[in-house]
Amino acid sequence: MTVPETGLLGGLADLLVVLSLGLLVVRPALWSIGLLAAQAAVLAVIAVVAAPGAGGWVAAGVILLTKVVGIPLVLQWVARRTGSENAVDWSAPWAWLVGAGIVLVVRLALPTFTAGLNPQHAVLLGTAVLVLLLGLAGMVSGKLLLAQAVHLVVIENGLYCAGLALTGGLPAALDLGAAVDLLLVIFVLAWLSHHVHRLQLPLHVDELRRLRG
Amino acid sequence: MIWLLLSGLGAYGLAALCGACLRNGRLATLAALAGGAAFAALAVLALLGARLDVRLPLGPPPFALRLWTPPLSALFVLLISGVGILASVYGGAYVAHFAEQKRRAVLTLTPLFLLSMTLVTLAADLAAFLIAWEAMSLTSYALVMTDGERPEVVRAGYVYLVMTHVGAVCLLAAFLLLTGATGSMDFTIWAGAASALAPGLRSAIFVLVLLGFGSKAALVPLHVWLPRAHPVAPSHVSGLMSGVMLKVAVYGLILVGFTVLGPGPLWWGLLVLALGVLSSVLGVLYALAEHDLKRLLAYHSVENVGIIAMGLGVALIGQRAHLPLLAVVALTAALYHTVNHALFKTALFLDAGSVQYAGVGRNLDRMGGLLARMPWTGVSLLVAAASISGLPPFNGFVSEWLTYQSLVRLGARGGPLLALCAFAGVLALALTGGLAAACFVKVSGVGLLGRPRTEHATRAREVPPAMYVPALVLAGLCLGLGLLPGVLAAPFAALASGVLHAGSVLPQTATGAVLVTLPWGGARIGPGAFAAFALAVAATAALASAAGRRVRPAAEVRAPWACGGEIGLLSQYSATAYAKPFRQVFGLIYRPVRSVQVESAVHPFFRTRVEYQGEITPVFDRYVYGPVLTGVLALARYGRQLQSGSLRLYLGYILVTLVLLLTFVR
Amino acid sequence: MVDTLSLICVLPFACGVAALLCRRAGDLRWMLGIGSGTGVLLAAVACVGLPGAVGLGGLLRLDALARVLLAVVVVVGALSTAESFSHWRDELARGGATAALVGHGLPHVRAYFFWQQAFLGSLLLAALSGNLGLSWVAIELTTITSAVLVGFSGGARAVEAAWKYVVLCSVGLALALLTVILLYALSGGGGLHSLEWNSLRVAAATFPTGPAKLAYLFALVGFGTKSGLAPLHAWLPDAHSEAPAPVSALLSGVLLAIVLCTLVRVAGVTAVATGPAFPYHLLLGAGLVSVAVATPFLVLQDDLKRLLAYSSIEQIGLMAIGFGLHAPLAVAGAVLQLVVHALTKSGLFFAAGRLVHEMGGGQRLARLRGLGRRAPLLGAALLFGVFTLGGVPPFGMFFSEVAIVQGAIGASAGAGLLLLLMLSVIFAGLTFYVGRAVFGARRQGPHVHATATGLAILGLPAALSVVVGLWTPGVVAHAVSAAAALVVGGHAL
């Protein structure tokens, strides 16, 4: 995949994918959160490399502030609070297998879908799709609510990657809308988890199975 | 014409409105009569040559609702309206003993039911036909559900609803295939374009149409809803459903099978003939084993639809085999039997309703001696029973004779295969006729004659004139059409040759009012002569008997010896006992199950109590529909595992969908 | 900036905020009554008098499809608001599960109306949006507002449903965001206006095929999740069955349809780049799968509202088939189906909600019997709705279903017949449960008398569904065919 003129970016993109795969494999919550922060840091570097100039630095700063520092801290606090830092059944053991399969399939399939883009965009788009899918796979394998939250952020990272690489920044209104929406989603999830806590519902995803059929 | 149509629509609508809103049902009945009269007048005008062709402004643009009145439609409109008028008169009195809510429901729905049947026969395009068709199904479903709080009624209604909906869907599929192939939804255009379709497509359409109309006409094996649904409806509605609604399906079969699709391959006709044979024989056999009067009558509807289908099948074969004469006679037979069955079956259901009204119920084994207590009802029942059994000089004889004739002719003129089929048909028809007669001997013998078996039967009184007069009118028509067969045979032959596009054939089919002569040697009947002969015999016998009575000394009446036991009203010969030999002979078909439990004291000879339970195996329910239902439910149970409640699984669906799409979609 | 379209969208948000400020229940009633009335009036003016109007600096556009959607949202929204009052009156009066859990009273109701109005506002935004970016934001907003409503009762089942709803739809919409990003990048950037449907259509002629396809796949999965296309539908039965009935009506009748229309618009853009076969065949396939997946759940079901929810999946599937066929008649059928379904399904959910309150038996189908005698109005509403959903004439959905099935049979006789088979099985399932509930032996219990409001709220959608679907007066027919022409031909009105 890596072609000469995308050398550095290609390497960074591959690093993103590797970190996503790592997130599928690691167990204890704190390790996951650490990897998440590392992934965000790579994303910040990509922002600087892909969009040279002030815009790139601003984007990198925002990412550093929110994704490298803010969100991991919040997640860590939640993990402490819910006592799932060292949870044994954090995610399903087969996750890495699914991840590898996804990487294989997408690498084979993607050239068709990126034909016609310039090589740099093609690589970063492929990476974004991969990170999205790996995040989704992580949500599928994550057995604790917190694990799912971590992987939701991975999906978000994939989207960021695409947004940074392809467009050099979305229109401000759209960015704003997306950010407000994200905030509201977090708010709603917090409200719901308050209810979950109040009702003493399990924090284990598989046990939320009252509704079926 | 258009004013007649509008006033008919208005009158039926008014009747429904009055039925829903007014406490007194008389106005609703009057309005329904007016509606029937308007449509009957419309039909008569159409038969005399006037034409109606209108479009109703309904539905989004490409759809239109076109109504027309070709002669075939007019005939069925006349039939529906005529029988509808009589049934409405009867119904107005019959519902008087219903609870308020039920009475309103029946008075509201019956005119709508009649209207929708009328509109089916007037429809000239897909949308109009299907809308009217489903309206007919739904109104009749609602009428069946009149006693909806009883679980067995809920079940019967559900079976009816699903069968009829599946039938309608088959029709929709057939019509849409036609639309796709011809680019139009209009029957006229279909009729012109359908003969040019690919043979496979035409056959597929024919099979779908046969399934659709067959399920409504209750051809075996699509009949299972009928013996469930008809008995639980109010009696005049049962009469309309059996006598008229099934005929609407026959109309549809003639319309699409003959006018639209035209001559098809030979197997179309053979299939219809085979279904007719199956329906007639099985229908009458199941009727014979039945002791619920209305269920028995319902099974006889299956039988009679089978006879009609035999005529239609022969007509299809004749059309294919270039035997236009044969086709015309066979279609005439089918049309004639259609009208006949509408008359006598409605009469029979009305009489059954009267018996119910008189408080006797529906079980034959609880009747007895009703002829003396309900003379008018009894007489009309007797006449209708003779007609349905195909006895001269009543109308059933004429149409069955025509059917025989066409079958025999088919045997004579077709090849060896067709001869074999025709032979089987003749045999089946003969068996059916004999068994039907046996069955109605049971009905009249057990129900009308003898002595009352229950307290209720003893207290039975004749119903109000509004109820027995319609039945008598129908019985009179049965006799009239039997004595003067030419009155209908000639126009029907004209109609049939019009439907079959066999115009030049007609003049050779000679008919007078009293005499029907078919265009081949020696085929000629005049039931009037039979009647005169029979009358003469009867008169002689009566005279002889009267003379004999004068000569003989008066008989002495004593209690019979009953082997030391007591003799009660229930000791009479019962319907169950009457049917026993048939149950044994046809055991292969009935697969009877019986259990006898004897309680005895001291010694087995001293029986204190004997309990007998006998029933026949519902073959079609158990071996045809049961497995289908089980299969569907098993599939559904399997499919329901998709939604297992696990959020991770659901996320997995999204992931798998996405990966599959990325992999396989290019 | 103050144009009619933005006014229509802002009005519900304003009403929601005002609802929080109301001191008494009477005030709430007056305020929301006036607000809804004004909204309906404004929408009517806009639909009739302002075809093609633009609002909010080009973000909102009242094209032919948006006009149909606007009419549907406004009517169902007003009905839902009206029904909400009955809902809360009954809920508080009977001291149901809700009252026991969260404590009852005005604050609770005020909060409900705030979220309900916000949901309505976001629906209006999504319906009127003339811009892919705004559509995405608005649809995400509907997720949030309606998730609060789904979990509003605070019971364990409701919270679980809301949780699943938020997680699944957030993931879905995250995937859809990739579509927005991709299309924005492909159209060369240049600000928000390049995401307007019309500009996208124009620009799409130069899109490379591969990325355009990728964008569409993500839109299909993303928006498909939100609009309940199987197998991405899993949140739908849970959310629909646990939400308060007036909200279920909005979710099922309006939300799914709006998101489907957004997807169809994306398909229209993609079709310019890739040719029509690619996007529309996929849509068609998704529709068929949806009908097939819904079937078993409609045959075996033990919960009335879940039954209705699965029927929504089937209906959305039918609409997707209609849109996917991409022939004028079938698309017009799908648009008509959308309208009639919104009306019918909201009536059914209202009836189901009332049933839960008035019959006291919960939503369990096994416990519903003899409604016809005990509560004739509710029984009639259920029967009417089910027959409509079955496409049985003379009810509203006949013409639209015939149009769609006609298209399907024309495209492939086998697939069309299979579709008809599944529809018959579904009809058999629906009528089995509803027939048993409406007829059947009467259970012990009080007779429920029909009230005038009940008659209005249940009767109005029923009457409208027949008027729109069966009679189809010229105005409606014209609006529907204009929307269909927009979808098929792509030219803006």
Side-chain angles (χ1 to χ4, degrees):
Chain A
M1 266 316 275
T2 322
V3 273
E5 63 263 47
T6 62
L8 177 57
L9 266 179
L12 286 171
D14 287 344
L15 193 57
L16 267 188
V17 174
V18 168
L19 284 171
S20 293
L21 273 173
L23 270 161
L24 278 180
V25 180
V26 295
R27 283 293 145 129
L30 294 181
W31 276 84
S32 285
I33 297 169
L35 280 182
L36 196 65
Q39 196 182 36
V42 176
L43 207 58
V45 179
I46 289 182
V48 176
V49 177
W57 286 105
V58 170
V62 171
I63 292 173
L64 274 176
L65 212 63
T66 57
K67 298 208 160 192
V68 181
V69 181
I71 292 180
L73 279 180
V74 172
L75 286 173
Q76 197 185 353
W77 177 73
V78 174
R80 288 242 167 77
R81 180 112 198 271
T82 55
S84 42
E85 311 157 83
N86 295 311
V88 185
D89 47 357
W90 172 257
S91 68
W94 37 258
W96 64 272
L97 208 62
V98 174
I102 289 174
V103 172
L104 197 70
V105 166
V106 173
R107 283 280 146 130
L108 285 175
L110 261 184
T112 338
F113 291 113
T114 51
L117 294 176
N118 73 40
Q120 180 185 339
H121 283 179
V123 167
L124 285 174
L125 179 59
T127 307
V129 169
L130 255 181
V131 172
L132 262 179
L133 286 175
L134 290 175
L136 190 49
M139 289 192 79
V140 174
S141 73
K143 288 185 177 177
L144 288 186
L145 293 184
L146 190 63
Q148 294 204 324
V150 167
H151 285 285
L152 193 59
V153 180
V154 174
I155 294 180
E156 196 78 1
N157 284 347
L159 286 172
Y160 249 85
C161 176
L164 286 171
L166 293 174
T167 65
L170 287 171
L174 192 56
D175 251 353
L176 193 68
V180 170
D181 278 341
L182 189 67
L183 270 178
L184 282 173
V185 167
I186 291 169
F187 163 71
V188 168
L189 281 178
W191 177 75
L192 281 173
S193 55
H194 156 71
H195 273 301
V196 168
H197 195 66
R198 179 180 57 77
L199 294 166
Q200 298 189 332
L201 293 179
L203 291 167
H204 212 285
V205 179
D206 286 348
E207 287 170 25
L208 274 178
R209 288 178 71 166
R210 274 163 212 262
L211 301 165
R212 58 170 81 186
Chain B
M1 292 289 274
I2 183 86
W3 288 112
L4 276 177
L5 177 71
L6 289 179
S7 54
L9 284 170
Y12 275 137
L14 183 68
L17 206 63
C18 292
C21 301
L22 299 183
R23 267 189 98 74
N24 189 339
R26 192 156 298 161
L27 202 56
T29 308
L30 282 178
L33 294 186
F39 276 116
L42 179 80
V44 169
L45 282 182
L47 284 173
L48 293 177
R51 284 284 168 273
L52 173 80
D53 200 334
V54 291
R55 278 167 204 284
L56 302 182
L58 215 64
F63 297 98
L65 266 65
R66 184 172 158 229
L67 302 181
W68 65 349
T69 55
L72 185 66
S73 301
L75 167 68
F76 280 88
V77 171
L78 187 58
L79 187 69
I80 295 164
S81 310
V83 176
I85 288 175
L86 293 172
S88 300
V89 171
Y90 179 95
Y94 180 72
V95 296
H97 71 295
F98 279 23
E100 172 79 19
Q101 202 179 358
K102 280 185 198 172
R103 184 171 72 230
R104 287 193 182 194
V106 173
L107 284 177
T108 311
L109 290 166
T110 313
L112 293 180
F113 179 44
L114 286 168
L115 176 62
S116 53
M117 286 195 290
T118 311
L119 289 179
V120 172
T121 49
L122 289 177
D125 67 6
L126 179 147
F129 190 93
L130 284 177
I131 290 180
W133 180 267
E134 285 281 39
M136 170 179 89
S137 300
L138 283 186
T139 43
S140 54
Y141 165 72
L143 283 165
V144 166
M145 299 303 283
T146 308
D147 272 338
E149 59 266 33
R150 301 214 316 268
E152 74 268 20
V153 176
V154 177
R155 188 153 180 75
Y158 178 67
V159 171
Y160 173 46
L161 185 65
V162 170
M163 290 287 292
T164 194
H165 186 73
V166 169
V169 165
C170 288
L171 289 182
L172 177 64
F175 287 0
L176 288 182
L177 284 174
L178 273 168
T179 308
T182 62
S184 163
M185 297 191 181
D186 197 295
F187 288 173
T188 328
I189 294 175
W190 287 358
S195 52
L197 300 183
L201 182 61
R202 278 179 70 211
S203 291
I205 293 171
F206 181 77
V207 169
L208 283 170
V209 164
L210 192 59
L211 280 174
F213 290 124
S215 72
K216 183 58 101 183
L219 285 174
V220 172
L222 303 169
H223 68 289
V224 288
W225 61 272
L226 190 141
R228 289 190 168 91
H230 283 200
V232 295
S235 290
H236 65 294
V237 176
S238 315
L240 284 175
M241 285 172 76
S242 248
V244 187
M245 188 178 72
L246 305 189
K247 305 310 169 318
V248 175
V250 171
Y251 161 81
L253 205 53
I254 296 176
L255 176 78
V256 183
F258 291 92
T259 23
V260 171
L261 290 176
L266 192 60
W267 64 265
W268 290 13
L270 288 177
L271 180 63
V272 175
L273 182 61
L275 286 179
V277 165
L278 202 63
S279 304
S280 58
V281 173
L282 287 180
V284 75
L285 275 176
Y286 283 122
L288 201 47
E290 197 53 68
H291 310 310
D292 177 322
L293 182 53
K294 282 174 80 175
R295 272 178 76 93
L296 178 148
L297 294 177
Y299 272 121
H300 272 291
S301 297
V302 177
E303 171 225 326
N304 281 285
V305 165
I307 295 174
I308 296 170
M310 284 162 81
L312 293 180
V314 175
L316 277 171
I317 296 172
Q319 201 183 14
R320 170 70 200 170
H322 304 297
L323 298 168
L325 277 180
L326 174 64
V328 167
V329 171
L331 192 54
T332 308
L335 287 173
Y336 208 120
H337 201 72
T338 302
V339 171
N340 289 345
H341 181 239
L343 298 178
F344 52 63
K345 185 49 62 69
T346 311
L348 285 167
F349 266 114
L350 295 189
D351 290 329
S354 299
V355 171
Q356 236 181 322
Y357 184 89
V360 187
R362 299 186 335 214
N363 190 339
L364 270 178
D365 281 338
R366 306 195 155 271
M367 298 178 186
L370 291 180
L371 188 58
R373 285 167 181 75
M374 309 172 68
W376 294 117
T377 303
V379 165
S380 57
L381 185 61
L382 273 180
V383 171
S387 310
I388 198 174
S389 311
L391 299 180
F394 298 103
N395 56 356
F397 172 71
V398 182
S399 50
E400 287 195 24
W401 179 80
L402 285 168
T403 314
Y404 273 120
Q405 280 293 334
S406 55
L407 280 169
V408 170
R409 184 71 174 173
L410 177 68
R413 295 295 298 272
L417 171 72
L418 289 183
L420 206 64
C421 294
F423 182 61
V426 169
L427 276 187
L429 195 53
L431 182 64
T432 306
L435 291 176
C439 189
F440 278 95
V441 166
K442 177 176 91 177
V443 171
S444 38
V446 175
L448 297 182
L449 306 179
R451 298 174 64 188
R453 287 180 177 74
T454 55
E455 194 60 28
H456 293 297
T458 318
R459 284 204 305 265
R461 288 291 167 270
E462 183 59 279
V463 291
M467 289 173 68
Y468 67 71
V469 169
L472 278 176
V473 171
L474 288 166
L477 283 171
C478 287
L479 182 61
L481 292 184
L483 288 177
L484 304 172
V487 173
L488 287 191
F492 281 1
L495 195 60
S497 58
V499 167
L500 294 166
H501 308 294
S504 59
V505 179
L506 176 65
Q508 303 166 23
T509 315
T511 47
V514 203
L515 208 63
V516 176
T517 311
L518 295 186
W520 45 76
R524 173 182 304 123
I525 54 162
F530 275 125
F533 178 69
L535 220 55
V537 171
T540 317
L543 281 176
S545 146
R549 199 176 300 148
R550 202 164 298 148
V551 175
R552 268 205 317 273
E556 199 175 338
V557 178
R558 296 191 174 224
W561 181 65
C563 308
E566 273 182 59
I567 202 154
L569 288 172
L570 286 172
S571 312
Q572 294 177 79
Y573 196 40
S574 70
T576 315
Y578 182 89
K580 169 133 192 181
F582 297 101
R583 262 207 312 278
Q584 282 179 332
V585 172
F586 295 101
L588 193 67
I589 292 168
Y590 288 133
R591 300 170 179 275
V593 181
R594 45 173 273 174
S595 68
V596 180
Q597 286 188 328
V598 180
E599 287 175 23
S600 52
V602 187
H603 187 275
F605 287 164
F606 298 104
R607 296 179 171 183
T608 51
R609 197 178 133 78
V610 180
E611 199 172 291
Y612 170 84
Q613 265 190 330
E615 56 183 20
I616 57 174
T617 311
V619 175
F620 288 94
D621 290 0
R622 189 165 298 169
Y623 299 113
V624 180
Y625 291 94
V628 171
L629 185 65
T630 320
V632 168
L633 288 182
L635 262 178
R637 209 164 286 127
Y638 193 71
R640 270 171 58 90
Q641 293 172 359
L642 275 176
Q643 190 89 357
S644 70
S646 160
L647 181 58
R648 289 169 55 206
L649 181 67
Y650 301 163
L651 286 163
Y653 292 156
I654 299 182
L655 178 66
V656 170
T657 311
L658 200 50
V659 170
L660 286 181
L661 284 176
L662 286 175
T663 316
F664 292 108
V665 177
R666 288 282 180 269
Chain C
M1 261 314 260
V2 182
D3 50 89
T4 319
L5 295 188
S6 359
L7 210 57
I8 292 174
C9 291
V10 168
L11 193 64
F13 289 108
C15 285
V17 173
L20 284 179
L21 303 175
C22 281
R23 293 261 152 187
R24 287 176 308 157
D27 295 347
L28 206 58
R29 193 179 299 261
W30 275 110
M31 193 273 302
L32 284 171
I34 292 172
S36 303
T38 319
V40 172
L41 212 64
L42 278 177
V45 168
C47 281
V48 176
L50 303 169
V54 176
L56 210 64
L59 285 175
L60 304 176
R61 182 180 292 276
L62 192 68
D63 59 16
L65 188 57
R67 199 162 52 164
V68 174
L69 290 177
L70 173 64
V72 170
V73 182
V74 164
V75 170
V76 177
L79 283 170
S80 159
T81 309
E83 174 69 5
S84 295
F85 282 103
S86 311
H87 174 83
W88 282 106
R89 191 196 55 226
D90 292 340
E91 189 82 359
L92 297 180
R94 313 227 164 202
T98 316
L101 278 170
V102 296
H104 48 72
L106 194 56
H108 199 61
V109 178
R110 281 199 308 231
Y112 168 84
F113 275 110
F114 169 73
W115 288 107
Q116 193 253 1
Q117 291 293 314
F119 181 35
L120 192 54
S122 51
L123 283 173
L124 282 166
L125 267 180
L128 290 176
S129 158
N131 183 303
L132 175 59
L134 178 64
S135 285
W136 186 87
V137 172
I139 290 173
E140 181 74 51
L141 203 57
T142 62
T143 310
I144 295 154
T145 45
S146 55
V148 176
L149 291 166
V150 169
F152 203 76
S153 75
R157 290 170 67 91
V159 170
E160 182 184 329
W163 183 271
K164 288 177 176 171
Y165 176 40
V166 174
V167 170
L168 286 169
C169 286
S170 299
V171 168
L173 287 172
L175 299 179
L177 186 56
L178 189 71
T179 308
V180 181
I181 294 171
L182 252 175
L183 289 181
Y184 182 68
L186 289 175
S187 66
L192 197 52
H193 287 282
S194 55
L195 281 174
E196 276 176 24
W197 297 115
N198 292 337
S199 349
L200 274 179
R201 266 191 211 266
V202 174
T206 60
F207 288 178
T209 323
K213 285 183 175 175
L214 188 67
Y216 180 67
L217 290 183
F218 273 84
L220 184 66
V221 174
F223 289 127
T225 304
K226 179 78 188 184
S227 69
L229 289 175
L232 316 163
H233 66 283
W235 62 273
L236 192 151
D238 299 351
H240 283 45
S241 62
E242 295 309 319
V247 178
S248 309
L250 280 175
L251 279 174
S252 165
V254 184
L255 173 66
L256 305 182
I258 289 177
V259 181
L260 184 68
C261 285
T262 310
L263 178 58
V264 169
R265 286 180 193 268
V266 177
V269 172
T270 316
V272 178
T274 66
F278 178 79
Y280 291 117
H281 282 179
L282 280 175
L283 195 57
L284 188 61
L288 276 172
V289 172
S290 300
V291 176
V293 165
T295 307
F297 297 92
L298 288 161
V299 171
L300 284 177
Q301 189 53 262
D302 60 354
D303 184 302
L304 177 59
K305 281 175 85 178
R306 288 182 89 83
L307 192 77
L308 299 180
Y310 280 108
S311 143
S312 297
I313 296 174
E314 172 236 348
Q315 294 288 331
I316 280 291
L318 267 179
M319 289 172 217
I321 292 172
F323 283 121
L325 285 165
H326 203 55
L329 183 59
V331 172
V335 175
L336 195 59
Q337 178 98 352
L338 187 158
V339 179
V340 180
H341 172 247
L343 294 167
T344 311
K345 199 45 84 54
S346 50
L348 274 170
F349 270 116
F350 295 157
R354 284 168 173 257
L355 216 63
V356 172
H357 285 130
E358 293 176 356
M359 309 301 285
Q363 300 168 201
R364 306 282 298 192
L365 280 167
R367 304 181 65 182
L368 288 176
R369 291 281 194 288
L371 287 182
R373 304 259 183 263
R374 272 179 68 191
L377 179 65
L378 295 181
L382 280 184
L383 266 188
F384 182 93
V386 165
F387 282 133
T388 306
L389 290 180
V392 178
F395 300 106
M397 253 180 217
F398 171 66
F399 284 117
S400 52
E401 279 201 18
V402 168
I404 294 172
V405 176
Q406 160 71 33
I409 283 189
S412 149
L417 293 183
L418 188 69
L419 179 64
L420 274 177
L421 181 69
M422 289 192 289
L423 291 182
S424 327
V425 175
I426 288 172
F427 180 79
L430 278 174
T431 46
F432 175 74
Y433 291 111
V434 170
R436 203 178 58 173
V438 172
F439 301 104
R442 177 183 174 158
R443 290 241 166 158
Q444 291 304 311
H447 189 89
V448 180
H449 290 285
T451 58
T453 26
L455 195 63
I457 284 175
L458 296 177
L460 196 63
L464 277 177
S465 79
V466 171
V467 167
V468 169
L470 192 73
W471 177 28
T472 327
V475 188
V476 178
H478 181 255
V480 167
S481 53
L486 175 70
V487 171
V488 177
H491 48 80
L493 194 95

